[in-house]
Amino acid sequence: MPVSTVLLLASIGVLSLFCQWLAWRVRMPAILFLLAGGIAAGPVLGFLAPEAVFGDLLFPVISLAVAIILFEGSLTLRYAEIRGHGKMVRNLIPVGSIVTCIIGTLAARWLLDVSWAVALLFGAISIVTGPTVIAPLLRSVRPDSKLANILRWEGIIIDPVGALLAVLVFEGIVSWGQGNVFGHSLYIFGKTLAVGFVIGAVAGYLNGIVLRKHWIPQYLHNAGTLTFMLGVYAISNELAHESGLLTVTVMGIWMANMKQVPIESILEFKESLSVLLISALFIILAARVEFAAIAELGWGLVAVLALLMLVARPLSIFLSAIGTSLNWREKLFLSWIAPRGIVAAAVSALFAFQLQKLGYESAGALVPLVFMLIIATVTLQSLTARPVARLLKVAEPAEYGFLILGANPVARMIGKALKKYEVPVTLADTNWENVRLARMENLQVYFGNPVSEHASTHLDLTGIGKLLVISPYKHMNSLATYHFLDWFGNKCVFSLAEGDQDQKARHQTAEKIQMTRGLFDGVSYAKLASLVSQGYTVKTTQLSEEFGYEEFLNKYQNQALVLFTFDSKEHVAPVCSMKDLKPEDDWILISLVPAQARKERKEKEDGEPSASQDQPAGQEPSSTI
């Protein structure tokens, strides 16, 4: 019984959503499940045949999707960020790209006997990793922050750089193929570069000016930019054959480096496109993979993959690390982590099709070769990265740190108290004054919306496993709660209570919000802020047999609010209910205490007698923040 086209299109959407959900559940890159789902639906079950479904529109659709992927990637390439992330990252981009491209090219040429054109293109494509495969792996492995930053920024920067290199190599191949003599081929290549760079720069500048001066309304920024980019891509291809990909890449880089252009709002549509368009794209691409084409590559395929993973990557790392402070353990770990991602798969499928049209017979080997590189690197490195990190002793301890939503005075006081005990703490706020003050107090802080697309690549959550919502921004509180309930789980998201009026006005979100765990005995942000304004301070107290929990409560006449406890195993936990709190004698309490504590401290500094001095020595070793 033939299957209708509508059912096939709907099935692609459902399968892509299932793969994304499965990747979220197991904390692995979604591309692995998308490729597996496409292979299962295509060559395994024979349910999906992309050529039959899309007909002549298949590769125009793929080319537009690739243009979107390259444009989005290039929007993240800021020159200042390349300069600002350490010598290792700056070295790794050019050195790693050159080494990987050379070894990949020579391996494909000599071991698989493909043409030099296909080998060069494979070498260029093989350098791309990308944040879509690096970020899930880092969340699972949790290497120390230095290594996590190197890998994350390498993925962010190499994504558009690698794509640009692949496009340039492809343009050179196409230009050479169109010319009968060297001079004519050089002319075609020069024309392609000129059209790509000039139109890309002009289009990026014009679009940046439109956004900066608000010549179109806010709600049209995303749709308008996407539509304009696709139009520029089509026009560029008309002026110079296959120059469109270079054009949109240059356009994105130009916009990313213009001042006062709201790039962040444009990047927000990337997540939706990834779930819908890009996820469906990879199922379609994987459905076209033929097992026979993979089998034809033989043992040469295994040798090429081994050279890239075991020779090219370590050589790139050790050469790039010359002059840095990385030790041999850190270098070995970085040498093992280099999963290939979305750009590699999409670009290889499109370029292979174009090369086949130009008469390159070995171009058919490009897609299975790149897809097997993706599958091998993502699978092997995702499964082994955590034990390798533990073996090399470069893994962070358990995710016991806190992301605090808010950098207000209350949040800063709590952050300093936790930092005193070396608990990883990151504050996030959209108020610049709060962020500035937090930085002056030497607290790690993120300026912006922690649930934005920008935060997904720039907010460092290494060692962070819990969320504390300590913010007066009710709308952002709800968004962060929804987002991090899925990210951390409902046992690791804590939020302050809301006032009675707020609860009544927002009862529709109660079911979701109730999944979070209440903070600090059910007090609201307004109540905490009021206590701080009255002179309450954050104080740490070491309990003992002589000075237990009951003595602590009596000392402050039951007015102290216990915020956190450290047990005998140094596990830190927010206090949800003081009624249920039963600390042991060797625990440490972090509490919000009345102004009496400050008065006692001043009297002690002045040498005057105080209530605490009348108690036996060592009764309450504590400090006030």
Side-chain angles (χ1 to χ4, degrees):
M1 178 180 176
V3 181
S4 67
T5 302
V6 173
L7 179 59
L8 287 173
L9 292 175
S11 299
I12 294 173
V14 172
L15 182 57
S16 64
L17 181 61
F18 173 76
C19 292
Q20 290 282 354
W21 173 84
L22 186 59
W24 165 75
R25 288 294 300 175
V26 301
R27 294 291 192 267
M28 291 184 65
I31 187 173
L32 181 62
F33 298 97
L34 293 169
L35 294 177
I39 291 173
V44 174
L45 301 177
F47 176 77
L48 178 62
E51 285 82 357
V53 176
F54 294 94
D56 294 337
L57 291 177
L58 176 61
F59 281 95
V61 168
I62 292 176
S63 64
L64 291 177
V66 172
I68 293 173
I69 294 172
L70 297 185
F71 177 67
E72 290 173 346
S74 62
L75 283 174
T76 65
L77 185 55
R78 294 180 173 89
Y79 303 135
E81 292 178 346
I82 299 176
R83 294 191 297 267
H85 286 278
K87 185 176 182 179
M88 182 62 187
V89 176
R90 294 196 303 270
N91 292 349
L92 191 54
I93 300 306
V95 174
S97 299
I98 294 172
V99 170
T100 303
C101 185
I102 292 175
I103 292 179
T105 299
L106 297 178
R109 172 60 181 164
W110 292 338
L111 296 176
L112 298 177
D113 198 27
V114 298
S115 65
W116 277 110
V118 175
L120 279 169
L121 194 53
F122 170 73
I125 293 173
S126 64
I127 75 172
V128 180
T129 57
T132 57
V133 286
I134 288 292
L137 190 147
L138 293 179
R139 288 197 298 269
S140 173
V141 178
R142 301 195 305 271
D144 65 53
S145 57
K146 178 170 62 175
L147 298 181
N149 284 331
I150 291 173
L151 290 171
R152 184 171 64 252
W153 281 103
E154 180 200 10
I156 292 172
I157 297 171
I158 201 66
D159 203 16
V161 169
L164 179 59
L165 177 61
V167 170
L168 290 175
V169 171
F170 175 72
E171 303 298 356
I173 295 171
V174 172
S175 302
W176 184 267
Q178 290 181 356
N180 296 322
V181 295
F182 177 78
H184 184 64
S185 295
L186 191 62
Y187 164 76
I188 296 296
F189 182 56
K191 177 183 177 182
T192 301
L193 293 183
V195 170
F197 278 101
V198 172
I199 294 184
V202 172
Y205 175 77
L206 291 178
N207 199 76
I209 292 296
V210 169
L211 296 177
R212 179 194 295 170
K213 296 184 177 296
H214 302 284
W215 288 346
I216 60 176
Q218 178 69 33
Y219 73 91
L220 286 180
H221 279 196
N222 293 346
T225 299
L226 177 63
T227 304
F228 180 61
M229 180 273 296
L230 293 176
V232 169
Y233 169 77
I235 292 173
S236 180
N237 276 343
E238 291 297 320
L239 294 177
H241 186 61
E242 299 299 341
S243 64
L245 295 179
L246 176 60
T247 299
V248 298
T249 303
V250 173
M251 176 181 172
I253 295 174
W254 191 282
M255 290 178 59
N257 290 278
M258 287 183 68
K259 295 181 179 179
Q260 299 179 348
V261 177
I263 298 297
E264 287 75 14
S265 62
I266 298 173
L267 286 172
E268 289 180 359
F269 78 96
K270 181 179 180 180
E271 185 173 358
S272 297
L273 281 178
S274 298
V275 174
L276 298 175
L277 174 62
I278 298 176
S279 298
L281 171 66
F282 282 100
I283 289 177
I284 293 171
L285 294 177
R288 299 184 66 254
V289 174
E290 299 178 358
F291 290 138
I294 297 176
E296 287 179 2
L297 298 177
W299 289 104
L301 170 62
V302 178
V304 171
L305 300 182
L307 284 172
L308 286 173
M309 296 173 64
L310 303 178
V311 177
R313 179 63 176 181
L315 184 59
S316 300
I317 293 297
F318 277 82
L319 288 177
S320 302
I322 295 176
T324 68
S325 61
L326 294 176
N327 58 44
W328 67 271
R329 296 176 184 272
E330 294 167 334
K331 294 175 186 177
L332 284 180
F333 179 75
L334 293 174
S335 298
W336 180 239
I337 306 299
R340 272 57 173 191
I342 284 176
V343 171
V347 170
S348 66
L350 179 62
F351 288 172
F353 173 75
Q354 300 291 357
L355 290 180
Q356 286 176 325
K357 290 201 304 183
L358 294 176
Y360 290 90
E361 296 182 359
S362 58
L366 183 62
V367 171
L369 182 56
V370 171
F371 273 51
M372 288 306 298
L373 177 62
I374 293 170
I375 294 172
T377 55
V378 172
T379 303
L380 290 176
Q381 293 169 13
S382 296
L383 294 177
T384 62
R386 180 179 293 182
V388 168
R390 291 175 178 172
L391 178 65
L392 295 174
K393 299 179 181 180
V394 297
E396 284 279 356
E399 292 180 336
Y400 63 93
F402 293 89
L403 171 65
I404 300 179
L405 180 60
N408 47 71
V410 177
R412 296 199 300 271
M413 290 174 64
I414 293 173
K416 287 193 294 182
L418 292 172
K419 185 180 178 182
K420 177 182 176 182
Y421 287 91
E422 299 183 351
V423 176
V425 175
T426 297
L427 283 64
D429 205 314
T430 56
N431 184 301
W432 171 248
E433 182 63 17
N434 286 341
V435 170
R436 185 184 67 83
L437 293 174
R439 288 176 176 170
M440 290 179 63
E441 295 175 5
N442 201 28
L443 291 169
Q444 183 170 325
V445 63
Y446 172 77
F447 176 47
N449 183 352
V451 303
S452 65
E453 182 68 17
H454 181 272
S456 66
T457 54
H458 293 75
L459 176 57
D460 184 8
L461 293 178
T462 304
I464 303 294
K466 299 181 179 68
L467 172 72
L468 303 180
V469 179
I470 307 176
S471 162
Y473 311 131
K474 297 178 178 63
H475 179 64
M476 184 174 292
N477 293 349
S478 298
L479 291 177
T481 299
Y482 275 82
H483 180 78
F484 287 102
L485 276 172
D486 292 335
W487 195 276
F488 295 145
N490 60 349
K491 293 183 179 180
C492 296
V493 176
F494 303 83
S495 61
L496 294 171
E498 298 179 350
D500 293 338
Q501 293 181 353
D502 294 329
Q503 290 280 15
K504 294 177 182 178
R506 301 172 65 240
H507 66 276
Q508 67 272 16
T509 62
E511 181 177 351
K512 184 78 173 182
I513 302 302
Q514 284 174 0
M515 295 177 64
T516 65
R517 308 184 70 183
L519 262 181
F520 311 149
D521 214 31
V523 300
S524 64
Y525 174 80
K527 177 65 175 178
L528 275 182
S530 175
L531 293 176
V532 172
S533 67
Q534 295 172 29
Y536 275 62
T537 56
V538 175
K539 187 173 185 179
T540 60
T541 304
Q542 173 72 62
L543 299 182
S544 64
E545 293 183 2
E546 295 80 12
F547 191 85
Y549 185 50
E550 290 298 327
E551 287 78 10
F552 169 80
L553 293 177
N554 293 334
K555 177 177 176 62
Y556 297 105
Q557 300 177 352
N558 292 316
Q559 293 181 350
L561 180 63
V562 182
L563 306 177
F564 298 88
T565 62
F566 284 83
D567 61 20
S568 57
K569 298 181 180 179
E570 298 185 352
H571 294 162
V572 58
V575 174
C576 298
S577 172
M578 288 185 60
K579 180 180 179 182
D580 301 328
L581 182 61
K582 297 179 181 180
E584 299 179 6
D585 291 340
D586 56 351
W587 286 23
I588 296 175
L589 305 182
I590 296 181
S591 314
L592 194 64
V593 301
Q596 173 189 2
R598 180 180 295 177
K599 179 181 178 182
E600 289 181 355
R601 185 179 181 182
K602 185 177 186 301
E603 289 176 349
K604 193 170 184 179
E605 291 173 350
D606 294 340
E608 299 178 5
S610 65
S612 62
Q613 286 179 318
D614 294 335
Q615 298 167 349
Q619 205 168 34
E620 187 193 5
S622 59
S623 62
T624 304
I625 296 178

